[in-house]
Amino acid sequence: MSRLSNTRKLTILAQDPAVRLGGRLTFAEVDVPAEILASGPTGYRVKVVDYDASSRLLYQDKIDHEPVNGEFKDPFARAPEEDDPQYEQRLLGNPNFHAQNVYAIVMRTLARFEFALGRRVAWSFGGHQLNVAPHAFSEANAFYSEEDKGLFFGYFDGITGRVFTCLSHDVVAHETTHALLDGLRTGFTELSGPDQSAFHEAFADVVALLSIFSLPQIVAALLDSDFRPPREGSEVRLIDGRRLEPKALRETSLMALAEQFGREIQNVHGDALRRSVMIEPARDVLSRMEYQEAHARGEVLAAAMMRTFLDLWDRRIRELGTFGDNQYNLDMVIEEGAKAADHLLTMAIRALDYCPPVDIDFRAFLAAALTADAELIPGDKYGYRDSLREAFASYGIDPPEEGCLAADGTWCPFDRTVPISYASTNFESMLRDKEEVFRFIWENRVALGIEVRGVIEVESVRPSVRQGLDGFFLKETIVTYIQRADLFGAEVGAILSCDRPEGLPTTQRITAFGGGVLVFDQYGQIKYHITHRLNDAKRQFARLEYLWETGQTNAGLRGARDRFAGLHRARAED
């Protein structure tokens, strides 16, 4: 038997069934990490359990997942004799293809995160395998649940027929990102200010939208189904430059999420579920009432990211030569789009390591993204960071005034003149041992400005090795610590250093959070200390006031951490 490859190809539906190009569905073969699968399919990170709770039906996996002659086979590859209608009917009607579709997209999204971060990414719930139910229930919904350790995809009867959310690439990538983000920053699912729930939704949307640009054949078709064939004697496919104007690109299916889902639900039929990029920039947009709900507010952040992408793509396109009459080489246009999308997606994922672990807001994410990119690409040759700052600023999102360098919006490096003691700890142990890291933090708590009137816990220790565009390797250790204080309203001033919001009772039970990120270089020296202090009066008052005014102060913490089902259901019903 020959040696197995590190990757294998599996067929997925690259856009949901509402998107047809030339009358045909958008199937694509994608690369995923190779592994010998058990029934489900089930691998070392993903376990597909195809049980329909509404009909109490368990779909049996009838696929043989064993490699043949040392090679992995794609069980749903098109047979040479099959025409398009036969092939589509065979896959759409087969629940085992639905299962493969979710498995492949989840694994592909996981691999993208691990590549960007330079390490393995764990799920938040402690187990190694994420449960995935392709036909979980009869409902127009799909969600991630930490409590149930899985992703759950519904199905429903829409305007034109039955809709399976598990067949939407956007929906699957979006829900997978919720699970990955929860594993990387579990504090982001706690109750907080308006940006925190919105951030989860926005980040998941951005990953789903940018991921599609790694499938060039799909991008080509979605960009322009009427592109010109190659000229006689030439292999160059051409596209009219008018179709590449920023306004025209904003209106393509590339910028829309879950088109079938949106069209088939009565309330929002005729459009995609979300098209964030169409939100017009305005400095006051986040203060408007219509952008206070989590999904709607998240669309503003997604809009800033996608406007950044379109600006970068447009610049790259304009640097290409034309073939007369404003005609561009289609394949080069796609390649430039893929480069811009890949860089921006990598930038966004790596930013998570530089985000404070609690009470995230859009400004802190912007600073984190700028810092993450500057660490690997100091020169910013293609202007990614400038474009990102300009797009965010157009929506009223600027880097935080405190803790950032005014010149470029990156986090301030740690002050090396601060007297930090490294004598009592072993950095080799600190690469993996939370107890060793906690000792370091405790012994340096005064120098680090850490308030001790709350429980301090080292949440994670994550060594990372990342490679920049120039081949440079960056070695860092990312440490996150969380502070938690359970208190009554009467103790707000003493512990959080802020006033009580008007009307908040002294007997009201409250949970407040603080925490930070310590970034160590390869020599064990602190590079950054990115913190949201427990006794930050301004932040804590704003959080408490928001929770009190929105009636969330009494919400249970467990319910807060598993609220994605309700959020997504409410969005579908709007």
Side-chain angles (χ1 to χ4, degrees), residues 144 146-147 182 186-192 196-197 200 513 543 547 552-567:
Y144 157 68
E146 180 187 18
E147 184 176 15
D182 194 24
T186 191
F188 289 1
T189 54
E190 303 289 0
L191 294 172
S192 184
Q196 185 146 287
S197 291
H200 242 283
F513 297 94
R543 174 180 180 266
L547 294 179
Q552 299 182 75
T553 312
N554 292 314
L557 291 176
R558 183 72 265 163
R561 295 191 58 78
D562 260 329
R563 65 190 185 280
F564 291 105
L567 278 174

Side-chain angles (χ1 to χ4, degrees), residues 113-122 184 353-354 427-434 437 458 460-466 474-480 518-522:
F113 270 68
E114 293 185 336
F115 169 79
L117 294 171
R119 63 173 187 272
R120 297 294 185 192
V121 177
L184 289 163
D353 275 352
Y354 297 83
F427 183 64
E428 184 179 352
S429 297
M430 285 176 59
L431 291 174
R432 57 186 178 274
D433 191 340
K434 293 182 182 180
V437 173
V458 175
S460 63
V461 181
R462 295 165 173 147
S464 297
V465 180
R466 300 163 187 171
L474 177 69
K475 296 182 179 180
E476 295 178 331
T477 299
I478 312 296
V479 169
T480 60
L518 287 166
V519 180
F520 293 92
D521 64 20
Q522 60 185 321

Side-chain angles (χ1 to χ4, degrees), residues 89 142 163 325 413 487 556 573:
Q89 185 177 9
V163 177
D325 194 25
L487 61 150
E573 293 172 354

Side-chain angles (χ1 to χ4, degrees), residues 46-63:
V46 176
K47 181 178 183 179
V48 178
V49 182
D50 205 354
Y51 178 70
D52 181 347
S54 296
S55 61
R56 298 182 180 181
L57 176 64
L58 177 65
Y59 292 98
Q60 298 294 330
D61 183 5
K62 299 179 180 179
I63 303 301

Side-chain angles (χ1 to χ4, degrees), residues 287-531:
S287 64
R288 299 175 188 171
M289 283 300 299
E290 61 264 36
Y291 292 108
Q292 302 312 302
E293 185 271 335
H295 282 91
R297 192 175 187 84
E299 288 190 46
V300 177
L301 180 62
M305 290 293 292
M306 298 313 295
R307 293 253 178 175
T308 301
F309 166 68
L310 287 176
D311 176 63
L312 294 168
W313 195 11
D314 180 62
R315 278 196 250 164
R316 285 177 171 272
I317 289 172
R318 302 310 158 197
E319 291 178 359
L320 300 173
T322 61
F323 288 77
D325 194 25
N326 199 30
Q327 300 297 310
Y328 286 83
N329 182 324
L330 176 64
D331 294 299
M332 292 190 70
V333 166
I334 295 167
E335 182 179 347
E336 295 302 321
K339 289 178 182 177
D342 182 71
H343 188 122
L344 195 60
L345 182 55
T346 301
M347 194 174 177
I349 295 172
R350 287 176 176 168
L352 297 174
D353 275 352
Y354 297 83
C355 287
V358 295
D359 297 342
I360 187 64
D361 58 52
F362 295 167
R363 300 191 308 158
F365 172 72
L366 172 59
L370 295 170
T371 305
D373 196 62
E375 280 294 315
L376 273 174
I377 309 171
D380 195 22
K381 177 180 177 181
Y382 295 102
Y384 282 84
R385 297 195 291 278
D386 287 341
S387 181
L388 191 72
R389 285 194 70 177
E390 290 170 7
F392 273 62
S394 71
Y395 288 98
I397 306 169
D398 302 304
E401 296 176 2
E402 183 178 344
C404 287
L405 298 174
D408 61 6
T410 60
W411 293 121
C412 295
F414 187 73
D415 184 355
R416 293 296 177 92
T417 65
V418 173
I420 296 293
S421 172
Y422 296 92
S424 300
T425 50
N426 184 310
F427 183 64
E428 184 179 352
S429 297
M430 285 176 59
L431 291 174
R432 57 186 178 274
D433 191 340
K434 293 182 182 180
E435 298 300 330
E436 192 79 8
V437 173
F438 180 78
R439 180 179 181 182
F440 174 85
I441 291 173
W442 183 256
E443 292 186 345
N444 291 287
R445 62 191 181 278
V446 176
L448 293 171
I450 296 175
E451 169 64 52
V452 297
R453 285 183 291 182
V455 176
I456 304 173
E457 178 186 356
V458 175
E459 183 182 55
S460 63
V461 181
R462 295 165 173 147
S464 297
V465 180
R466 300 163 187 171
Q467 185 175 15
L469 295 177
D470 58 358
F472 169 74
F473 283 93
L474 177 69
K475 296 182 179 180
E476 295 178 331
T477 299
I478 312 296
V479 169
T480 60
Y481 66 90
I482 299 288
Q483 294 171 274
R484 172 174 171 156
D486 294 313
L487 61 150
F488 291 98
E491 300 173 289
V492 165
I495 296 178
L496 305 183
S497 303
C498 68
D499 296 329
R500 275 187 296 120
E502 184 177 354
L504 182 72
T506 58
T507 55
Q508 175 68 52
R509 295 186 65 88
I510 297 165
T511 300
F513 297 94
V517 176
L518 287 166
V519 180
F520 293 92
D521 64 20
Q522 60 185 321
Y523 306 109
Q525 302 294 304
I526 300 175
K527 293 174 65 176
Y528 295 98
H529 182 206
I530 303 160
T531 180

